[in-house]
Amino acid sequence: MTLHLAVALDGAGWHPAAWRAEGARPDRLFTAGYWAELVVEAERGLLDWVTFEDSLGLQSSRFDAPDDRLDQVRGRLDAVLLAAALAPLTSRIGLIPTTIVTHTEPFHVAIGIASLDHASRGRAGWRPRLSARPDEAAHFGRREFPPLDVADVARIRRLFGEAADAVEVVRRLWDSWEDDAEIRDAATGRFIDRDRLHYIDFQGEWFDVKGPSITPRSPQGQPLVTSLGHDVVPYEFAARGSDVVYVTPQDKDDARRIVGQVREAEATVGRTGPELKIFADLVVFLGGDKARLDDLDGAALVSDAHIFEGTPEGLADLLVGWRDAGLDGYRLRPGVLPGDLSAITQGLVPELQARGLFRKAYETADLRGRLGLARPVSRYARAS
Amino acid sequence: MTKQIHLAAHFPGVNNTTVWSDPRSGSQIDFDSFRHLAQTAERGKFDFFFLAEGLRLREMKGRIHDLDVVGRPESLTVLAALSAVTTHLGLAATVNSTFNEPYEVARRLASLDHLSGGRAAWNVVTSWDAFTGENFRRGGYLAEADRYTRATEFLQTARELWDSWAPDAVTAADGQFIRPGGISTFHHEGKHFTITGQFNVPRPPQGHPVIIQAGDSDEGRNFAASSADVIFSRHSKLEEGRAFYRDVKSRLPRYGRSPDDLKILPAVTYVLGDTQEDAAERAAEIRKAQVSPQTAISFVEGVWGRDLSAYDPDGPLPDLEPDLGPGVSEGRAQFRGDRGAVAAKWRALAEEKNLSIRELVIETAAPQTFVGTAASVAEEINLFVQTDAADGFIFVPHLTPGGLDDLVDQVVPLLQEKGVFRADYTGPTLRDHLGLTKEPS
Ligand SMILES: Cc1cc2nc3c(=O)[nH]c(=O)nc-3n(C[C@H](O)[C@H](O)[C@H](O)COP(=O)(O)O)c2cc1C
């Protein structure tokens, strides 16, 4: 069995001082050209997909509020639009933007990701993320949002419950047009068969959505849903609505333990259909600049994910070593862009290929197929 | 002084103007359709490419309307993708101010402006109906009278967000990614929005994206006169266009603006032929395709507010009075007006000219603006602009995606020869194309 490899793109890289690294292009972070070069390089390396981070507030060194730091990258582009701008420039790599389900309307998300799937001919995914920051809620002014106490499990469950409803709405909207709804029947003057369009009639605690979508069913039917989790509640969230879960093991034993928790979460929520694909997130430095960047930033990098420093060969050893803990693949977060990305595509990938562990060409044009996931029939299609 | 003409391309809509039964009619959703029309418009040096929006599928008699093209992508997503396959063309998205929030819309438009190098435009529309609201968490909560107070405050708030980053906030030098004071905190407190914090996208290359407005009421015209760079109007006849033009331009001084600050671009259609007669013949065929027998009945049902499926489209109008109750159509502005008056007008016209239902609908509901040879259409376009019926046009083709091919190949060169339309782009941004020189703030 071969490995799956995704890369998480964000700003100048995952080190907060990455914009000050050799070869960084901080002046171009807000241009399409900067991102095009990265994604074209990732596709040249035959990577499964790239993810794009997003948030509805400024980046921060704190999880719960903005900070006043001006020495780190601040500001970003809307991830769905960024992914869309890259779609015509690539042909195989998956494009997975993040959206914030706590504030963004599920209807808007559903049509945005479906449109990305149309524009990329079946390479779209989605990473739903929730926001726990009061300052982000204040950008919308629609709800009271006290600071989150990480020990307040009931509130965390409610936030994830709302997010799960958003995912359910989005998935229903993606199915709300059957594949053959468009008939163009000149004899009866009908463009569509309206019996093959469906109201989703979602009613929940946080929102009601009628449907159907305004966007016809997309090439993949259901774009790939991927979410990040660090604990049981987010694993259950993933088990309810995601196809892929990103996890953050610190070593191989931890990976084994987490895989167990994920499988348990699937049982808890009664997941049907294919098992979650489990990808481990790793921050990777393959160019040896971490120590200098730590100095510049004034502190050693802290991350939720394991931080790997070393050579592409060393990284290949780690990936192979942890894999039989039950991982399907990895999402690598390059410490520095573009340096650590090219080290992945030009160092790690050939190394894995030489070991017979990575593809030599893309097997499928669409993203789901790459993971062995079939194109699902709409849940509303009548058996005929 | 000779005015320069502005041209825009409208992707074919989800209404009966778009002919889907023609064998040349392509997909309304495949990206190649969008690419073709956008690249055609750019080949013709158009100012911008335009996408409309409707956030709920239209319904007739409680069921999804199935006679017209159905299904559209999310506007900004497709425009972002088009930014990668065009270099100068402006990219205009229709985005509703009722079922969105300023922080999100401001950051998406700012993002499109960055990705396209200063080519983004926002058509601020105000549909507020509870029918559409059923797709959103807030539901249909907005009173009609509030649609423009919300739109005005929404746009004002978006401008505050765009202005909250200094143009030179990103320095990325001397250990500072953002220069001190580069990002200011916004506070907005108003009837519709009370928000505070920090915006998270750098100031757009154009300062603010180009603002388009498409409402027609007195409030809508004032909103345009105070706040918009472009009006997308329905007034595509010469006299009517001049009256609208005079009316709107005369409102500008009230807001300290000059006539050049607001471009008036009516939506228009066109049909070309080798001769005038040939064009007229083609135009008649297109109108017939735009109004199928079923579409004809559906239009009369919309006005009459009744189920008329038992009537013969080739027969006379029903002898019934219209039902002026809630109506049978949802999601279309068309049937919102005074249906009683429209019905009376239609009946009078049908009697006067002895028209069947279908003939009547063809006559009233399938208007064509420019019909003629390339030379006569170029002449007419120029006449409209030079005599102040418009500053240019938004062309709505009836075919996807090739519906503007002959306009660009045959008419645009004639306008260029006359010296009334650019032979090439003179700047990179949409504001450059529109001649909007003032820095927005
Ligand atoms: C030419 C034209 C095009 C319009 N296009 C749209 C559209 O794509 N989506 C939408 O929701 N509303 C659209 N509208 C509706 C207007 O933006 C506005 O909300 C509506 O006309 C009510 O405002 P009013 O009373 O000032 O006319 C359009 C209006 C006009 C005149």
Side-chain angles (χ1 to χ4, degrees):
Chain A
M1 198 186 75
T2 59
L3 278 175
H4 293 283
L5 274 188
V7 159
L9 296 178
D10 190 25
W14 286 78
H15 197 292
W19 67 272
R20 298 156 86 173
E22 196 79 33
R25 294 302 308 271
D27 54 322
R28 299 184 61 219
L29 294 191
F30 307 105
T31 65
Y34 170 78
W35 296 92
E37 282 166 26
L38 295 176
V39 175
V40 165
E41 180 59 28
E43 184 168 77
R44 207 177 288 140
L46 306 175
L47 302 185
D48 287 76
W49 66 82
V50 290
T51 60
F52 304 93
E53 301 300 305
D54 210 351
S55 60
L56 294 171
L58 285 178
Q59 298 94 323
S60 175
S61 51
R62 305 171 48 170
F63 91 97
D64 58 342
D67 58 18
D68 293 326
R69 293 187 70 156
L70 302 176
D71 64 334
Q72 301 179 350
V73 170
R74 295 292 179 264
R76 55 164 95 251
L77 301 178
D78 178 273
V80 176
L81 300 188
L82 175 56
L86 301 167
L89 305 177
T90 51
S91 63
R92 289 290 181 270
I93 193 157
L95 302 167
I96 306 194
T98 303
T99 77
I100 307 304
V101 288
T102 312
H103 302 297
T104 300
E105 292 284 342
F107 195 87
H108 291 315
V109 174
I111 62 178
I113 302 291
S115 301
L116 177 63
D117 205 39
H118 282 290
S120 65
R121 304 190 179 292
R123 294 182 287 128
W126 174 40
R127 179 186 160 214
R129 190 183 148 216
L130 55 81
S131 162
R133 278 169 50 173
D135 67 296
E136 294 191 353
H139 295 160
F140 289 80
R142 295 200 280 218
R143 62 205 269 183
E144 289 293 313
F145 209 97
L148 186 69
D149 174 356
V150 289
D152 185 352
V153 177
R155 173 128 184 264
I156 292 172
R157 278 200 181 275
R158 283 177 57 74
L159 278 173
F160 274 101
E162 181 185 9
D165 278 3
V167 175
E168 172 68 15
V169 166
V170 168
R171 285 200 179 275
R172 285 195 201 177
L173 287 169
W174 286 341
D175 275 352
S176 64
W177 287 57
E178 293 182 41
D179 291 319
D180 49 4
E182 186 179 318
I183 51 172
R184 297 192 183 224
D185 182 33
T188 58
R190 293 176 309 147
F191 180 79
I192 42 154
D193 175 356
R194 57 189 167 194
D195 292 334
R196 294 180 219 174
L197 298 189
H198 302 274
Y199 297 107
I200 69 163
D201 282 322
F202 182 87
Q203 296 193 324
E205 189 179 342
W206 294 277
F207 38 77
D208 297 342
V209 178
K210 178 81 182 170
S213 177
I214 58 164
T215 306
R217 200 149 190 266
S218 72
Q220 293 183 102
Q222 293 278 329
L224 193 74
V225 179
T226 74
S227 59
L228 171 66
H230 305 93
D231 205 345
V232 173
V233 176
Y235 298 155
E236 288 178 4
F237 167 75
R240 279 200 180 87
S242 302
D243 301 300
V244 174
V245 63
Y246 307 117
V247 297
T248 53
Q250 300 303 315
D251 56 39
K252 184 169 180 174
D253 285 340
D254 199 27
R256 197 171 282 125
R257 183 183 62 84
I258 289 172
V259 168
Q261 284 180 323
V262 169
R263 297 294 169 231
E264 213 169 289
E266 291 179 316
T268 307
V269 306
R271 181 181 175 96
T272 54
E275 280 190 330
L276 274 169
K277 306 285 179 194
I278 307 177
F279 278 51
D281 270 19
L282 295 167
V283 182
V284 299
F285 291 89
L286 301 171
D289 17 18
K290 179 168 173 296
R292 195 180 73 85
L293 296 177
D294 283 350
D295 272 353
L296 281 173
D297 199 51
L301 172 66
V302 183
S303 174
D304 55 332
H306 175 70
I307 299 169
F308 174 87
E309 273 186 272
T311 62
E313 297 72 30
L315 180 56
D317 291 340
L318 183 152
L319 303 187
V320 174
W322 288 18
R323 189 170 58 138
D324 31 276
L327 300 174
D328 297 283
Y330 297 88
R331 183 176 71 147
L332 306 178
R333 306 181 190 171
V336 171
L337 292 169
D340 288 319
L341 173 64
S342 14
I344 290 167
T345 52
Q346 295 164 33
L348 175 68
V349 164
E351 180 63 30
L352 291 171
Q353 286 170 331
R355 301 187 196 187
L357 291 171
F358 197 67
R359 67 174 65 86
K360 297 222 162 93
Y362 282 109
E363 310 85 358
T364 66
D366 74 313
L367 180 53
R368 293 182 65 90
R370 194 160 301 156
L371 286 179
L373 296 173
R375 185 177 189 281
V377 173
S378 160
R379 71 195 63 193
Y380 299 106
R382 282 155 308 168
S384 54
Chain B
M1 205 189 83
T2 311
K3 284 162 72 185
Q4 287 293 306
I5 296 172
H6 298 282
L7 296 178
H10 188 303
F11 192 81
V14 290
N15 51 48
N16 73 301
T17 302
T18 307
V19 174
W20 54 260
S21 54
D22 190 292
R24 290 165 299 177
S25 158
S27 168
Q28 84 285 25
I29 192 68
D30 194 298
F31 183 64
D32 281 344
S33 294
F34 294 89
R35 184 202 307 255
H36 180 100
L37 189 64
Q39 290 182 340
T40 303
E42 187 161 84
R43 183 158 55 81
K45 314 297 177 196
F46 277 36
D47 293 64
F48 60 92
F49 175 86
F50 181 96
L51 291 177
E53 177 193 73
L55 293 171
R56 178 140 179 211
L57 299 183
R58 295 166 177 195
E59 293 190 358
M60 278 300 277
K61 299 184 279 183
R63 303 192 64 196
I64 289 164
H65 185 59
D66 56 1
L67 304 178
D68 294 334
V69 167
V70 186
R72 289 194 269 207
E74 199 277 322
S75 304
L76 285 162
T77 307
V78 176
L79 294 178
L82 288 173
S83 74
V85 296
T86 53
T87 57
H88 287 77
L89 186 67
L91 302 166
T94 299
V95 181
N96 181 287
S97 60
T98 303
F99 304 108
N100 281 290
E101 300 297 324
Y103 195 92
E104 217 163 14
V105 169
R107 73 187 296 270
R108 301 194 82 210
L109 282 156
S111 297
L112 179 63
D113 208 44
H114 282 286
L115 290 166
S116 63
R119 299 190 276 138
W122 173 20
N123 178 31
V124 186
V125 296
T126 60
S127 310
W128 66 91
D129 53 289
F131 175 74
T132 305
E134 285 183 342
N135 282 334
F136 298 95
R137 73 177 79 199
R138 284 189 136 170
Y141 68 101
L142 200 61
E144 177 173 355
D146 277 341
R147 71 196 190 287
Y148 279 109
T149 61
R150 182 167 164 117
T152 304
E153 191 181 331
F154 195 117
L155 177 57
Q156 177 55 37
T157 309
R159 292 195 195 275
E160 287 163 20
L161 297 172
W162 293 323
D163 287 344
S164 69
W165 282 59
D168 59 352
V170 178
T171 59
D174 302 327
Q176 300 280 302
F177 186 78
I178 303 288
R179 75 160 170 76
I183 307 174
S184 35
T185 299
F186 63 84
H187 300 281
H188 178 97
E189 202 173 330
K191 178 173 176 201
H192 297 279
F193 309 105
T194 296
I195 62 175
T196 183
Q198 289 172 312
F199 193 49
N200 74 345
V201 184
R203 186 174 168 85
Q206 294 186 100
H208 299 175
V210 167
I211 301 301
I212 305 175
Q213 192 279 346
D216 202 34
S217 59
D218 189 55
E219 298 110 290
R221 293 178 187 202
N222 282 339
F223 177 48
S226 66
S227 314
D229 303 305
V230 173
I231 291 194
F232 179 19
S233 106
R234 290 211 169 97
H235 303 283
S236 59
K237 300 224 169 69
L238 194 58
E239 281 315 318
E240 206 190 296
R242 285 180 186 150
F244 180 77
Y245 192 98
R246 266 196 309 276
D247 175 274
V248 172
K249 296 257 177 173
S250 73
R251 294 174 192 238
L252 289 164
R254 275 186 239 166
Y255 303 98
R257 306 178 74 209
S258 63
D260 280 351
D261 295 343
L262 178 63
K263 310 295 179 197
I264 298 180
L265 309 182
V268 291
T269 61
Y270 77 102
V271 183
L272 296 185
D274 294 335
T275 61
Q276 207 67 37
E277 298 69 45
D278 177 38
E281 232 168 78
R282 285 190 193 196
E285 270 165 39
I286 293 167
R287 287 201 301 274
K288 233 173 130 182
Q290 286 170 328
V291 182
S292 70
Q294 295 86 352
T295 294
I297 293 292
S298 162
F299 261 86
V300 179
E301 287 179 329
V303 173
W304 258 252
R306 293 175 180 277
D307 177 1
L308 302 174
S309 48
Y311 285 79
D312 177 4
D314 295 320
L317 280 175
D319 246 344
L320 298 163
E321 283 310 303
D323 177 344
L324 300 179
V328 295
S329 158
E330 289 276 19
R332 285 160 114 172
Q334 231 156 357
F335 303 125
R336 242 184 232 149
D338 181 352
R339 290 193 282 108
V342 176
K345 212 169 91 192
W346 281 19
R347 191 182 294 290
L349 184 67
E351 275 166 18
E352 181 198 324
K353 296 199 178 172
N354 192 25
L355 301 175
S356 71
I357 288 178
R358 190 172 178 204
E359 288 163 342
L360 172 77
V361 175
I362 286 175
E363 181 126 346
T364 55
Q368 284 159 329
T369 325
F370 302 121
V371 178
T373 62
S376 76
V377 167
E379 209 50 61
E380 219 180 335
I381 288 173
N382 195 34
L383 173 77
F384 270 64
V385 172
Q386 304 308 336
T387 62
D388 286 349
D391 293 314
F393 300 99
I394 297 185
F395 274 90
V396 186
H398 72 277
L399 282 180
T400 312
L404 292 186
D405 291 356
D406 55 355
L407 185 80
V408 165
D409 291 335
Q410 300 174 38
V411 178
V412 167
L414 300 178
L415 295 174
Q416 289 167 327
E417 268 170 38
K418 288 181 200 288
V420 293
F421 186 66
R422 69 178 69 84
D424 206 348
Y425 293 106
T426 53
T429 73
L430 178 53
R431 282 185 185 277
D432 293 332
H433 311 338
L434 290 167
L436 301 167
T437 48
K438 284 182 203 137
E439 172 74 2
S441 65

